[in-house]
Structures are given as C-alpha cells and as structure tokens.
Amino acid sequence: MRIDIITCQPELLASPFAHSIVKRAQDKGLAEIHVHDLRRHAINKHGQIDDYVFGGGAGMVLRVEPIAAWLDELLAQRPYDAVIYLTPDGETLRQPLANRLSLLTNVIMLCGHYKGIDERLRATYITHEISVGDYVLSGGELGAAILVDAVVRLLPGVLGNEESALSDSFQDDLLAPPVYTRPAEWRGQAVPAILLSGNTPLIEEWRHAQALARTQARRPDLLGDSEEK
C-alpha cells in the first residue's frame, strides 16, 4: 500500500511513522508512506496557504490553489483508490472502515487545518471524509497518524501472527476478552483455570462469553438490537 499525506505540519508526522508496527511495515516493503508539505505549493513567497472566510467570521481557511496543485500532481502520477479528507464532520473511523481501507493500493490523505478546506475542494477531489472521533483537534495530522496505524497493521505480513488482528476489539462487534500471561498466580490472583486446561473449544467459548459480557457492560451500543453476535 502507498499512502501520500498532504499537510501543512509535516513535522508532526515524523515520529508516528518512524517506530513500531508502521515502521516495520515500511521496512518490509509492505507500506510506503510519503508526507508532502503543503507549503511547497504556497501562493506566494511568504508561504501563504490560507485566507479569510468569505462572509466573515473567526478563523482562516486553507486555500484552493495549494491543495489542488498537490492533488493534481499526485493524481497525474498514478491512479488512487481513495482521496481521504480528515475532518470532524466525516464518517467516524470504526474497525469495518479500517478493514475496507486496508484492501486499497494507493491512498491520499489530506489533513485539514484552521477552519478546514475550501468546500469546492471537497466537491471536486475528496472521495472519503473520515473523523477519528467526536472532538476537534488542532489539525488532521494526528487523525491521519491514527488512520494510518489502524489500516497498515491489517496489511498481510505486517503483524508477526496473521490471526492477531482478527482477534482485536471491534473485529466482530465485540470488545476483546481479558488476556493473561505468566506467572499463573500473582499476588493471590490466579489465571482462570479454563485458560490452562488446553481445551481449545472450551477456551474459545469462554473467551466469547467474556467478550460479550464486557461489551454489554462497557459498550452496549456495539450490540445493537441483538443480545448475541
């Protein structure tokens, strides 16, 4: 997968992509991440990329020309499966959306800033609008980092165990069950005996029951109208 990110704050994305699983994906050649500085296409020598809001009001808006120049440049180089705009009023990022995006090959992510981007850009270029939650960040960079991490870890070969991502929270609309490791007893607290039994079918039943109970207690909204998933 190739991911191109357009941002006016490229420095914010240096660390998230230089460590852990996302770095491993790049080292293995499974993901390419290219960060592009919006100011390279600034409208003047002062590096201007924003302007006042038509109609008045507080805040600034990212101008059409710098963003359009970057998008035209990238779109001329290869076909892209998605042009994603990170914005608070986009579709909320959930696991099924991350799963779908992980099947794509070439993706552009556009980071909003200030009061956002000119609406004409959204109408002309954007294919997906995504929010990482019901809150406002200073810009789309941290949202892009979250989206990249959520998608890249799903690419085949990235995780050491291919089944690991399939057992994550939200993959089956349930939260993950409790997990334990050595020692089997710690400060008087023992690991549930079923997990030490070696009986795989019973262990899986226990895990499902625990996942369902945890979801009912903490995130009943994930269950919808059904008591079972």
Side-chain angles (χ1 to χ4, degrees), residues 127-191:
T127 63
H128 299 68
E129 300 189 351
I130 296 177
S131 167
V132 295
D134 295 338
Y135 46 86
V136 177
L137 299 171
S138 299
E141 290 77 19
L142 297 182
I146 290 171
L147 181 57
V148 168
D149 192 282
V151 170
V152 166
R153 67 189 307 278
L154 299 173
L155 300 178
V158 171
L159 298 180
N161 185 337
E162 291 296 327
E163 295 183 1
S164 179
L166 299 179
S167 61
D168 288 339
S169 291
F170 307 114
Q171 282 289 12
D172 54 2
D173 293 327
L174 298 176
L175 300 179
V179 293
Y180 300 85
T181 189
R182 293 181 178 86
E185 185 171 339
W186 177 76
R187 294 185 179 179
Q189 302 177 65
V191 171

Side-chain angles (χ1 to χ4, degrees), residues 17 20 32 35 53 55 57 63-64 68 84 93 97 105 124 135-136 151 159 163 178 183 185 192 195 208 217 222 229:
F17 302 151
S20 191
E32 289 183 43
V35 179
V53 183
R63 287 182 61 120
V64 171
I84 299 170
L93 176 61
L97 176 56
T105 301
T124 304
Y135 46 86
V136 177
V151 170
L159 298 180
E163 295 183 1
E185 185 171 339
L195 297 178
H208 179 76
L222 294 175
K229 285 285 182 180

Side-chain angles (χ1 to χ4, degrees), residues 44-56:
N44 55 37
K45 65 180 181 181
H46 304 294
Q48 184 181 354
I49 55 172
D50 61 341
D51 218 321
Y52 297 106
V53 183
F54 274 134

Side-chain angles (χ1 to χ4, degrees), residues 2 4-8 34-42 49 64-77 80 108-110 121 125:
R2 177 187 171 106
D4 289 271
I5 303 175
I6 302 171
T7 168
C8 61
H34 302 271
V35 179
H36 307 287
D37 189 349
L38 184 59
R39 294 186 189 279
R40 202 192 92 183
H41 287 299
I49 55 172
V64 171
E65 303 96 327
I67 296 174
W70 261 122
L71 290 172
D72 288 341
E73 180 177 325
L74 292 171
L75 292 169
Q77 295 174 11
Y80 281 88
I108 296 174
M109 296 183 188
L110 172 61
L121 289 164
Y125 293 100

